[in-house]
Amino acid sequence: MKKNIAVIGYGGMGGWHAEHLLKSDVAGLAGVYDTDKNRLDLALSQGIKIYKTLQELLADNKIDVVTIATPNDAHEEITVKSLEAGKHVICEKPVTLSIDSLNRMIASSEKNNKLFTVHQNRRWDIDYLAMKKLSDSGEIGEIINLESRIHGSRGIPSDWRGTREQGGGMLYDWGIHIIDQALMILGWDVKSVRCSFENITNDEVDDGFRMELCFNSGARAYIEVGTYNFIAMPRFYMRGKNGTAMIIDWREKCKVVKCKHWHENDVTPVKTAAGLTKTMAPRNSVTVDEYEIDKPASDVHDFYRNFTAAIDGRETPLVTHKQMKYLLKIIMDGFKSNETGETIVW
Ligand code: NAD
C-alpha cells in the first residue's frame, strides 16, 4: 500500500519533494507544513493540504513518513519530534550540524523503532553513476585518484546558506553530496582529511572549499566546490592504473582513454611553447583506445521506492546510519583542518 508522506519545509527542496510525491508509484503527498504563511498559501493554491502547525501535522495518524526540508539547523528538533510522534523520517542533507546532534537523532529513531534516513539523492546523478560503473568494472584498472568538482560563479545564495548558525556554507551544502559520491566510488575507508575554505564573496561561511581525502587503499580523492569560478573545471576526472576518464559537465558523456600498450617505439618529440618534449607527446591509436560511455539509466525516485520498501521490511535503507556518521565526521574534520591548517589523520 502507498505510504502517506508529509513534507515539512515547503521551500525550494520541499517543493521538489512534493512534486515527486504527487507523481509517486509508492507514496502519496499527505500535505505540507511551513513556518512561512506565504508558502502555505502557495500550497493551498496548488490544491495541496496544509497543516497550520507542526503539532497538527504530527497528530495526523494517517501520516506514515515525514520528509524534512527546512534549513539545516532545524533538522534535529523536527526529526526527533517526528520520530517521537511515531513517524518514519527522511531528512534533507546535511542531516545536522554536529556528531552529538546526529547521535541524538539516531538514538531517537532506535528508541521509537522508526526508520530515519537522509536524502542523499545525488547517488542517482548520471555523471556520478557513470564514474562509479567505470570504477566498479575495473575497466581502467585500480583507481589512483578521483577529482570531483562543482563550479559556479554566483557566490553563496543570499538566504540562510550564508549564515553559520543555520549551517550555511558550501561544505555542508554541496560538499556532503560529492564527498558521499567519492566514498561510494572509492570505498568508506578514509585515512586522512585535509581541507581549506575560500571566502571570496562571503566572510561568515565558506563559499568554496578544497578537500583531499586519502584512503587506506592508497587512492586519493580531490573534492572542490567553488562559487566564484567563471570558467568551470571538469566535473569529474579519474585516473586508473590502465587509463583516464573525464566528464566535462553533467550533461556530457564520460570520455575514456585506455592504455593498450604502455611502450611506444620512436616517440616523436612535439614542440610546445618555447621548447620541445618527448615526455608530454600525445599518444596515438596504436597505444590507446579512446571512447565514450553511454549515460547510465537513473531514476531518483528509487530513493523513495527503497525507503517505503524498507518500512515494509522488504529492503534496508540505502543511506545507513553508519554512512551518515561517517560523512558528518568528514565534514567536521574538514572544518577542523581548515581552522588548524593540519591534515586530520584517522
Ligand atoms: P528554502 O529556504 O528554499 O526552504 C526552506 C523552507 O523551510 C522555507 O520555506 C522556510 O520557511 C521553511 N522553514 C524554516 N524553518 C522551518 C521550521 N522550523 N519548520 C517548518 N518550516 C520551516 O531552502 P531549501 O533550498 O529548500 O533547503 C531546505 C533543505 O533542503 C536544506 O537542508 C538543504 O540543504 C536541502 N536541500 C537539498 C537538496 C538536495 O538536492 N538534496 C537541494 C536543495 C536543498
Side-chain angles (χ1 to χ4, degrees):
M1 210 168 76
K2 282 191 177 187
K3 305 294 173 213
N4 276 318
I5 305 188
V7 174
I8 299 176
Y10 190 56
M13 202 56 196
W16 186 96
H17 282 285
E19 199 183 310
H20 278 75
L21 290 168
L22 285 168
K23 292 184 282 197
S24 173
D25 51 338
V26 292
L29 178 65
V32 303
Y33 164 65
D34 197 294
T35 43
D36 181 347
K37 189 178 169 308
N38 292 328
R39 301 302 300 176
L40 292 182
D41 289 346
L42 173 70
L44 262 186
S45 74
Q46 294 166 327
I48 294 171
K49 177 177 167 64
I50 60 160
Y51 294 90
K52 292 210 172 108
T53 63
L54 181 62
Q55 292 70 17
E56 186 191 341
L57 184 151
L58 295 180
D60 186 342
N61 290 331
K62 290 192 289 304
I63 297 173
D64 306 299
V65 181
V66 298
T67 294
I68 300 169
T70 62
N72 303 334
D73 60 324
H75 290 179
E76 179 189 344
E77 187 185 341
I78 301 174
T79 295
V80 171
K81 282 186 175 162
S82 304
L83 290 164
E84 280 174 356
K87 313 299 182 199
H88 301 284
V89 171
I90 295 168
C91 185
E92 260 307 340
K93 49 50 60 174
V95 59
T96 187
L97 306 180
S98 75
I99 306 270
D100 284 349
S101 169
L102 176 56
N103 284 337
R104 289 190 290 271
M105 294 158 98
I106 292 173
S108 174
S109 149
E110 288 167 355
K111 186 180 117 207
N112 293 295
N113 202 20
K114 293 289 156 191
L115 295 185
F116 161 53
T117 195
V118 180
H119 190 229
Q120 293 292 161
N121 52 318
R122 292 198 173 273
R123 289 189 188 180
W124 281 266
D125 280 356
I126 50 175
D127 47 8
Y128 148 74
L129 286 172
M131 282 290 164
K132 176 153 174 61
K133 198 172 158 196
L134 191 66
S135 159
D136 289 352
S137 71
E139 202 169 315
I140 58 165
E142 188 186 324
I143 303 304
I144 300 166
N145 74 326
L146 171 78
E147 301 187 20
S148 172
R149 293 185 173 84
I150 295 284
H151 281 167
S153 61
R154 296 176 189 281
I156 285 257
S158 58
D159 56 12
W160 57 268
R161 281 180 178 77
T163 70
R164 189 179 303 211
E165 209 184 14
Q166 290 189 281
M170 282 297 127
L171 182 58
Y172 275 133
D173 195 49
W174 265 97
I176 199 107
H177 280 305
I178 64 174
I179 294 167
D180 181 55
Q181 292 179 340
L183 296 174
M184 294 294 286
I185 293 173
L186 295 175
W188 299 72
D189 191 22
V190 166
K191 191 167 91 179
S192 65
V193 179
R194 188 170 184 87
C195 186
S196 61
F197 287 179
E198 286 192 333
N199 294 90
I200 301 174
T201 58
N202 181 303
D203 285 332
E204 190 169 336
V205 296
D206 64 295
D207 48 37
F209 70 88
R210 292 159 189 231
M211 175 181 274
E212 186 179 46
L213 297 176
C214 294
F215 292 77
N216 287 311
S217 64
R220 283 164 192 255
Y222 187 72
I223 290 161
E224 191 180 309
V225 175
T227 57
Y228 204 72
N229 298 68
F230 293 90
I231 299 176
M233 287 177 76
R235 172 70 188 88
F236 277 112
Y237 181 85
M238 183 165 73
R239 287 186 301 156
K241 291 198 170 159
N242 209 20
T244 303
M246 181 165 77
I247 299 178
I248 289 282
D249 174 289
W250 63 269
R251 294 172 202 84
E252 304 294 332
K253 284 186 178 174
C254 176
K255 179 181 166 186
V256 180
V257 177
K258 197 169 152 181
C259 189
K260 283 195 289 196
H261 301 293
W262 174 245
H263 291 291
E264 188 183 13
N265 296 327
D266 306 325
V267 179
T268 316
V270 287
K271 284 183 187 164
T272 56
L276 199 65
T277 176
K278 218 168 155 179
T279 318
M280 300 302 166
R283 284 182 173 268
N284 59 34
S285 60
V286 176
T287 62
V288 291
D289 271 338
E290 214 174 306
Y291 54 94
E292 285 186 336
I293 296 178
D294 282 339
K295 290 181 185 171
S298 173
D299 181 357
V300 68
H301 203 69
D302 284 344
F303 175 87
Y304 272 108
R305 293 193 185 99
N306 162 256
F307 193 73
T308 52
I311 292 173
D312 291 338
R314 289 182 282 112
E315 293 181 22
T316 50
L318 291 172
V319 185
T320 66
H321 291 178
K322 200 170 161 193
Q323 291 173 347
M324 285 149 66
K325 286 188 191 177
Y326 205 103
L327 272 173
L328 202 57
K329 172 161 168 50
I330 292 177
I331 298 284
M332 294 304 139
D333 285 352
F335 279 102
K336 206 192 294 177
S337 172
N338 173 66
E339 249 170 62
T340 60
E342 286 172 6
T343 299
I344 313 296
V345 181
W346 284 28

mmCIF file of all heavy atoms in Angstrom, residues 243-279:
data_model
loop_
_atom_site.group_PDB
_atom_site.id
_atom_site.type_symbol
_atom_site.label_atom_id
_atom_site.label_comp_id
_atom_site.label_asym_id
_atom_site.label_seq_id
_atom_site.Cartn_x
_atom_site.Cartn_y
_atom_site.Cartn_z
ATOM 1 N N GLY A 243 44.187 3.720 -17.400
ATOM 2 C CA GLY A 243 43.526 4.709 -18.244
ATOM 3 C C GLY A 243 42.988 5.883 -17.450
ATOM 4 O O GLY A 243 43.122 5.945 -16.218
ATOM 5 N N THR A 244 42.368 6.798 -18.174
ATOM 6 C CA THR A 244 41.850 8.030 -17.561
ATOM 7 C C THR A 244 40.426 8.256 -18.053
ATOM 8 O O THR A 244 40.108 7.963 -19.210
ATOM 9 C CB THR A 244 42.724 9.235 -17.990
ATOM 10 O OG1 THR A 244 44.065 8.976 -17.610
ATOM 11 C CG2 THR A 244 42.265 10.527 -17.338
ATOM 12 N N ALA A 245 39.568 8.761 -17.161
ATOM 13 C CA ALA A 245 38.182 9.068 -17.558
ATOM 14 C C ALA A 245 37.869 10.508 -17.158
ATOM 15 O O ALA A 245 38.385 11.004 -16.149
ATOM 16 C CB ALA A 245 37.215 8.123 -16.856
ATOM 17 N N MET A 246 37.028 11.129 -17.940
ATOM 18 C CA MET A 246 36.678 12.520 -17.619
ATOM 19 C C MET A 246 35.239 12.815 -18.045
ATOM 20 O O MET A 246 34.782 12.344 -19.096
ATOM 21 C CB MET A 246 37.639 13.468 -18.339
ATOM 22 C CG MET A 246 37.352 14.930 -18.046
ATOM 23 S SD MET A 246 38.729 15.993 -18.523
ATOM 24 C CE MET A 246 38.491 16.038 -20.270
ATOM 25 N N ILE A 247 34.551 13.579 -17.212
ATOM 26 C CA ILE A 247 33.238 14.124 -17.608
ATOM 27 C C ILE A 247 33.356 15.639 -17.458
ATOM 28 O O ILE A 247 33.606 16.151 -16.365
ATOM 29 C CB ILE A 247 32.094 13.582 -16.724
ATOM 30 C CG1 ILE A 247 32.003 12.068 -16.840
ATOM 31 C CG2 ILE A 247 30.766 14.233 -17.123
ATOM 32 C CD1 ILE A 247 30.928 11.417 -15.977
ATOM 33 N N ILE A 248 33.208 16.318 -18.559
ATOM 34 C CA ILE A 248 33.382 17.775 -18.559
ATOM 35 C C ILE A 248 32.275 18.449 -17.757
ATOM 36 O O ILE A 248 32.514 19.354 -16.967
ATOM 37 C CB ILE A 248 33.351 18.298 -20.027
ATOM 38 C CG1 ILE A 248 34.613 17.867 -20.755
ATOM 39 C CG2 ILE A 248 33.150 19.798 -20.097
ATOM 40 C CD1 ILE A 248 35.847 18.695 -20.413
ATOM 41 N N ASP A 249 31.065 17.987 -17.966
ATOM 42 C CA ASP A 249 29.898 18.667 -17.430
ATOM 43 C C ASP A 249 28.814 17.602 -17.280
ATOM 44 O O ASP A 249 28.804 16.642 -18.037
ATOM 45 C CB ASP A 249 29.504 19.699 -18.498
ATOM 46 C CG ASP A 249 28.225 20.420 -18.197
ATOM 47 O OD1 ASP A 249 27.142 19.822 -18.284
ATOM 48 O OD2 ASP A 249 28.307 21.607 -17.885
ATOM 49 N N TRP A 250 27.916 17.743 -16.294
ATOM 50 C CA TRP A 250 26.959 16.672 -16.022
ATOM 51 C C TRP A 250 26.083 16.326 -17.217
ATOM 52 O O TRP A 250 25.530 15.239 -17.302
ATOM 53 C CB TRP A 250 26.096 17.001 -14.799
ATOM 54 C CG TRP A 250 25.225 18.212 -14.966
ATOM 55 C CD1 TRP A 250 25.536 19.501 -14.655
ATOM 56 C CD2 TRP A 250 23.898 18.249 -15.499
ATOM 57 N NE1 TRP A 250 24.494 20.332 -14.962
ATOM 58 C CE2 TRP A 250 23.464 19.598 -15.484
ATOM 59 C CE3 TRP A 250 23.025 17.265 -15.990
ATOM 60 C CZ2 TRP A 250 22.213 19.991 -15.935
ATOM 61 C CZ3 TRP A 250 21.764 17.668 -16.451
ATOM 62 C CH2 TRP A 250 21.380 19.012 -16.408
ATOM 63 N N ARG A 251 26.010 17.253 -18.173
ATOM 64 C CA ARG A 251 25.181 16.963 -19.363
ATOM 65 C C ARG A 251 25.912 16.057 -20.351
ATOM 66 O O ARG A 251 25.316 15.518 -21.283
ATOM 67 C CB ARG A 251 24.828 18.256 -20.101
ATOM 68 C CG ARG A 251 23.943 19.193 -19.342
ATOM 69 C CD ARG A 251 23.822 20.509 -20.103
ATOM 70 N NE ARG A 251 23.429 21.585 -19.234
ATOM 71 C CZ ARG A 251 24.255 22.302 -18.480
ATOM 72 N NH1 ARG A 251 25.549 22.063 -18.500
ATOM 73 N NH2 ARG A 251 23.805 23.268 -17.703
ATOM 74 N N GLU A 252 27.231 15.931 -20.196
ATOM 75 C CA GLU A 252 28.053 15.244 -21.190
ATOM 76 C C GLU A 252 28.306 13.784 -20.821
ATOM 77 O O GLU A 252 28.190 13.403 -19.662
ATOM 78 C CB GLU A 252 29.411 15.955 -21.313
ATOM 79 C CG GLU A 252 29.317 17.422 -21.648
ATOM 80 C CD GLU A 252 28.758 17.678 -23.026
ATOM 81 O OE1 GLU A 252 28.933 16.812 -23.910
ATOM 82 O OE2 GLU A 252 28.129 18.750 -23.216
ATOM 83 N N LYS A 253 28.685 13.022 -21.844
ATOM 84 C CA LYS A 253 29.038 11.620 -21.599
ATOM 85 C C LYS A 253 30.448 11.531 -21.000
ATOM 86 O O LYS A 253 31.239 12.466 -21.121
ATOM 87 C CB LYS A 253 29.026 10.866 -22.923
ATOM 88 C CG LYS A 253 27.632 10.547 -23.431
ATOM 89 C CD LYS A 253 27.767 9.685 -24.661
ATOM 90 C CE LYS A 253 26.399 9.285 -25.188
ATOM 91 N NZ LYS A 253 26.502 8.569 -26.455
ATOM 92 N N CYS A 254 30.743 10.377 -20.427
ATOM 93 C CA CYS A 254 32.062 10.125 -19.852
ATOM 94 C C CYS A 254 33.016 9.711 -20.982
ATOM 95 O O CYS A 254 32.731 8.786 -21.738
ATOM 96 C CB CYS A 254 31.932 9.000 -18.827
ATOM 97 S SG CYS A 254 33.479 8.497 -18.109
ATOM 98 N N LYS A 255 34.139 10.414 -21.068
ATOM 99 C CA LYS A 255 35.142 10.085 -22.085
ATOM 100 C C LYS A 255 36.242 9.243 -21.422
ATOM 101 O O LYS A 255 36.684 9.569 -20.319
ATOM 102 C CB LYS A 255 35.725 11.388 -22.640
ATOM 103 C CG LYS A 255 36.781 11.189 -23.668
ATOM 104 C CD LYS A 255 37.329 12.521 -24.160
ATOM 105 C CE LYS A 255 38.608 12.261 -24.937
ATOM 106 N NZ LYS A 255 39.273 13.489 -25.337
ATOM 107 N N VAL A 256 36.636 8.184 -22.115
ATOM 108 C CA VAL A 256 37.666 7.303 -21.545
ATOM 109 C C VAL A 256 38.827 7.188 -22.519
ATOM 110 O O VAL A 256 38.617 7.063 -23.729
ATOM 111 C CB VAL A 256 37.100 5.874 -21.295
ATOM 112 C CG1 VAL A 256 38.168 4.954 -20.708
ATOM 113 C CG2 VAL A 256 35.880 5.917 -20.397
ATOM 114 N N VAL A 257 40.028 7.262 -22.016
ATOM 115 C CA VAL A 257 41.206 6.929 -22.814
ATOM 116 C C VAL A 257 41.918 5.808 -22.066
ATOM 117 O O VAL A 257 42.322 5.971 -20.917
ATOM 118 C CB VAL A 257 42.142 8.145 -23.017
ATOM 119 C CG1 VAL A 257 43.393 7.710 -23.785
ATOM 120 C CG2 VAL A 257 41.420 9.252 -23.766
ATOM 121 N N LYS A 258 41.994 4.654 -22.749
ATOM 122 C CA LYS A 258 42.502 3.451 -22.092
ATOM 123 C C LYS A 258 43.824 3.033 -22.751
ATOM 124 O O LYS A 258 43.939 3.062 -23.978
ATOM 125 C CB LYS A 258 41.446 2.352 -22.272
ATOM 126 C CG LYS A 258 41.612 1.199 -21.356
ATOM 127 C CD LYS A 258 40.372 0.329 -21.455
ATOM 128 C CE LYS A 258 40.727 -1.090 -21.137
ATOM 129 N NZ LYS A 258 39.584 -1.960 -21.237
ATOM 130 N N CYS A 259 44.760 2.659 -21.909
ATOM 131 C CA CYS A 259 46.088 2.300 -22.425
ATOM 132 C C CYS A 259 46.079 0.861 -22.962
ATOM 133 O O CYS A 259 45.687 -0.063 -22.254
ATOM 134 C CB CYS A 259 47.081 2.445 -21.280
ATOM 135 S SG CYS A 259 48.760 2.281 -21.807
ATOM 136 N N LYS A 260 46.508 0.697 -24.235
ATOM 137 C CA LYS A 260 46.585 -0.655 -24.832
ATOM 138 C C LYS A 260 48.003 -1.204 -24.738
ATOM 139 O O LYS A 260 48.220 -2.357 -24.422
ATOM 140 C CB LYS A 260 46.221 -0.586 -26.326
ATOM 141 C CG LYS A 260 44.759 -0.472 -26.623
ATOM 142 C CD LYS A 260 44.466 -0.769 -28.087
ATOM 143 C CE LYS A 260 44.962 0.335 -29.011
ATOM 144 N NZ LYS A 260 44.392 0.289 -30.359
ATOM 145 N N HIS A 261 48.944 -0.338 -25.068
ATOM 146 C CA HIS A 261 50.367 -0.720 -24.988
ATOM 147 C C HIS A 261 51.103 0.407 -24.277
ATOM 148 O O HIS A 261 51.028 1.559 -24.702
ATOM 149 C CB HIS A 261 50.968 -0.877 -26.397
ATOM 150 C CG HIS A 261 50.264 -1.903 -27.209
ATOM 151 N ND1 HIS A 261 50.302 -3.242 -26.902
ATOM 152 C CD2 HIS A 261 49.497 -1.791 -28.319
ATOM 153 C CE1 HIS A 261 49.591 -3.902 -27.788
ATOM 154 N NE2 HIS A 261 49.075 -3.043 -28.656
ATOM 155 N N TRP A 262 51.757 0.050 -23.207
ATOM 156 C CA TRP A 262 52.463 1.081 -22.434
ATOM 157 C C TRP A 262 53.628 1.657 -23.252
ATOM 158 O O TRP A 262 53.789 2.853 -23.365
ATOM 159 C CB TRP A 262 52.953 0.480 -21.114
ATOM 160 C CG TRP A 262 53.805 1.411 -20.324
ATOM 161 C CD1 TRP A 262 55.118 1.255 -20.021
ATOM 162 C CD2 TRP A 262 53.407 2.654 -19.742
ATOM 163 N NE1 TRP A 262 55.570 2.316 -19.291
ATOM 164 C CE2 TRP A 262 54.533 3.194 -19.104
ATOM 165 C CE3 TRP A 262 52.205 3.367 -19.722
ATOM 166 C CZ2 TRP A 262 54.506 4.410 -18.437
ATOM 167 C CZ3 TRP A 262 52.179 4.580 -19.050
ATOM 168 C CH2 TRP A 262 53.321 5.092 -18.418
ATOM 169 N N HIS A 263 54.422 0.751 -23.846
ATOM 170 C CA HIS A 263 55.612 1.220 -24.559
ATOM 171 C C HIS A 263 55.271 1.634 -25.982
ATOM 172 O O HIS A 263 54.440 1.028 -26.641
ATOM 173 C CB HIS A 263 56.688 0.135 -24.586
ATOM 174 C CG HIS A 263 57.246 -0.097 -23.220
ATOM 175 N ND1 HIS A 263 58.021 0.827 -22.571
ATOM 176 C CD2 HIS A 263 57.099 -1.141 -22.374
ATOM 177 C CE1 HIS A 263 58.345 0.364 -21.374
ATOM 178 N NE2 HIS A 263 57.782 -0.824 -21.225
ATOM 179 N N GLU A 264 55.936 2.645 -26.413
ATOM 180 C CA GLU A 264 55.759 3.106 -27.784
ATOM 181 C C GLU A 264 57.158 3.377 -28.322
ATOM 182 O O GLU A 264 57.931 4.121 -27.709
ATOM 183 C CB GLU A 264 54.928 4.395 -27.762
ATOM 184 C CG GLU A 264 54.517 4.876 -29.111
ATOM 185 C CD GLU A 264 53.748 6.196 -29.005
ATOM 186 O OE1 GLU A 264 53.762 6.829 -27.932
ATOM 187 O OE2 GLU A 264 53.159 6.598 -29.998
ATOM 188 N N ASN A 265 57.465 2.725 -29.449
ATOM 189 C CA ASN A 265 58.799 2.957 -30.026
ATOM 190 C C ASN A 265 58.790 4.267 -30.806
ATOM 191 O O ASN A 265 57.764 4.681 -31.338
ATOM 192 C CB ASN A 265 59.158 1.807 -30.980
ATOM 193 C CG ASN A 265 59.260 0.501 -30.213
ATOM 194 O OD1 ASN A 265 59.659 0.494 -29.038
ATOM 195 N ND2 ASN A 265 58.877 -0.586 -30.860
ATOM 196 N N ASP A 266 59.919 4.858 -30.861
ATOM 197 C CA ASP A 266 60.121 6.042 -31.706
ATOM 198 C C ASP A 266 59.094 7.145 -31.471
ATOM 199 O O ASP A 266 58.387 7.562 -32.385
ATOM 200 C CB ASP A 266 60.082 5.652 -33.196
ATOM 201 C CG ASP A 266 61.068 4.528 -33.499
ATOM 202 O OD1 ASP A 266 62.137 4.533 -32.872
ATOM 203 O OD2 ASP A 266 60.737 3.663 -34.322
ATOM 204 N N VAL A 267 58.953 7.564 -30.247
ATOM 205 C CA VAL A 267 58.046 8.688 -29.961
ATOM 206 C C VAL A 267 58.621 9.952 -30.607
ATOM 207 O O VAL A 267 59.805 10.258 -30.431
ATOM 208 C CB VAL A 267 57.911 8.912 -28.438
ATOM 209 C CG1 VAL A 267 56.987 10.082 -28.147
ATOM 210 C CG2 VAL A 267 57.420 7.652 -27.760
ATOM 211 N N THR A 268 57.768 10.643 -31.350
ATOM 212 C CA THR A 268 58.235 11.868 -31.987
ATOM 213 C C THR A 268 58.085 13.029 -31.015
ATOM 214 O O THR A 268 56.979 13.281 -30.514
ATOM 215 C CB THR A 268 57.364 12.162 -33.244
ATOM 216 O OG1 THR A 268 57.209 10.934 -33.946
ATOM 217 C CG2 THR A 268 57.982 13.223 -34.120
ATOM 218 N N PRO A 269 59.138 13.731 -30.727
ATOM 219 C CA PRO A 269 59.017 14.882 -29.819
ATOM 220 C C PRO A 269 58.087 15.939 -30.407
ATOM 221 O O PRO A 269 57.977 16.068 -31.623
ATOM 222 C CB PRO A 269 60.441 15.427 -29.733
ATOM 223 C CG PRO A 269 61.318 14.366 -30.278
ATOM 224 C CD PRO A 269 60.503 13.570 -31.232
ATOM 225 N N VAL A 270 57.368 16.634 -29.519
ATOM 226 C CA VAL A 270 56.496 17.710 -30.009
ATOM 227 C C VAL A 270 57.025 19.056 -29.520
ATOM 228 O O VAL A 270 57.619 19.151 -28.442
ATOM 229 C CB VAL A 270 55.026 17.558 -29.529
ATOM 230 C CG1 VAL A 270 54.326 16.450 -30.254
ATOM 231 C CG2 VAL A 270 54.947 17.360 -28.026
ATOM 232 N N LYS A 271 56.769 20.053 -30.335
ATOM 233 C CA LYS A 271 57.162 21.405 -29.929
ATOM 234 C C LYS A 271 56.049 21.971 -29.073
ATOM 235 O O LYS A 271 54.888 21.965 -29.467
ATOM 236 C CB LYS A 271 57.357 22.279 -31.166
ATOM 237 C CG LYS A 271 58.637 22.004 -31.897
ATOM 238 C CD LYS A 271 58.806 22.965 -33.062
ATOM 239 C CE LYS A 271 60.015 22.541 -33.881
ATOM 240 N NZ LYS A 271 60.039 23.158 -35.196
ATOM 241 N N THR A 272 56.388 22.428 -27.873
ATOM 242 C CA THR A 272 55.378 23.101 -27.034
ATOM 243 C C THR A 272 55.954 24.428 -26.601
ATOM 244 O O THR A 272 57.083 24.478 -26.106
ATOM 245 C CB THR A 272 55.052 22.274 -25.777
ATOM 246 O OG1 THR A 272 56.265 22.031 -25.087
ATOM 247 C CG2 THR A 272 54.373 20.970 -26.095
ATOM 248 N N ALA A 273 55.195 25.460 -26.767
ATOM 249 C CA ALA A 273 55.615 26.811 -26.386
ATOM 250 C C ALA A 273 57.040 27.050 -26.883
ATOM 251 O O ALA A 273 57.319 26.892 -28.060
ATOM 252 C CB ALA A 273 55.476 27.011 -24.884
ATOM 253 N N ALA A 274 57.967 27.343 -25.949
ATOM 254 C CA ALA A 274 59.323 27.665 -26.393
ATOM 255 C C ALA A 274 60.250 26.464 -26.276
ATOM 256 O O ALA A 274 61.453 26.626 -26.124
ATOM 257 C CB ALA A 274 59.852 28.840 -25.585
ATOM 258 N N GLY A 275 59.688 25.268 -26.309
ATOM 259 C CA GLY A 275 60.565 24.104 -26.132
ATOM 260 C C GLY A 275 60.094 22.876 -26.875
ATOM 261 O O GLY A 275 59.155 22.922 -27.682
ATOM 262 N N LEU A 276 60.733 21.774 -26.545
ATOM 263 C CA LEU A 276 60.481 20.501 -27.212
ATOM 264 C C LEU A 276 60.289 19.451 -26.118
ATOM 265 O O LEU A 276 60.977 19.488 -25.105
ATOM 266 C CB LEU A 276 61.752 20.169 -28.016
ATOM 267 C CG LEU A 276 61.671 19.170 -29.140
ATOM 268 C CD1 LEU A 276 60.772 19.724 -30.258
ATOM 269 C CD2 LEU A 276 63.075 18.937 -29.712
ATOM 270 N N THR A 277 59.326 18.511 -26.285
ATOM 271 C CA THR A 277 59.151 17.461 -25.267
ATOM 272 C C THR A 277 58.759 16.131 -25.880
ATOM 273 O O THR A 277 57.890 16.066 -26.757
ATOM 274 C CB THR A 277 58.136 17.867 -24.174
ATOM 275 O OG1 THR A 277 57.956 16.770 -23.287
ATOM 276 C CG2 THR A 277 56.783 18.244 -24.750
ATOM 277 N N LYS A 278 59.396 15.075 -25.350
ATOM 278 C CA LYS A 278 59.026 13.711 -25.730
ATOM 279 C C LYS A 278 58.107 13.168 -24.624
ATOM 280 O O LYS A 278 57.149 12.447 -24.893
ATOM 281 C CB LYS A 278 60.310 12.863 -25.780
ATOM 282 C CG LYS A 278 60.365 11.863 -26.890
ATOM 283 C CD LYS A 278 61.789 11.324 -26.999
ATOM 284 C CE LYS A 278 61.758 9.956 -27.633
ATOM 285 N NZ LYS A 278 63.077 9.377 -27.804
ATOM 286 N N THR A 279 58.409 13.562 -23.379
ATOM 287 C CA THR A 279 57.632 13.080 -22.213
ATOM 288 C C THR A 279 56.151 13.387 -22.374
ATOM 289 O O THR A 279 55.294 12.574 -22.057
ATOM 290 C CB THR A 279 58.132 13.789 -20.925
ATOM 291 O OG1 THR A 279 59.533 13.849 -20.961
ATOM 292 C CG2 THR A 279 57.631 13.100 -19.679
#
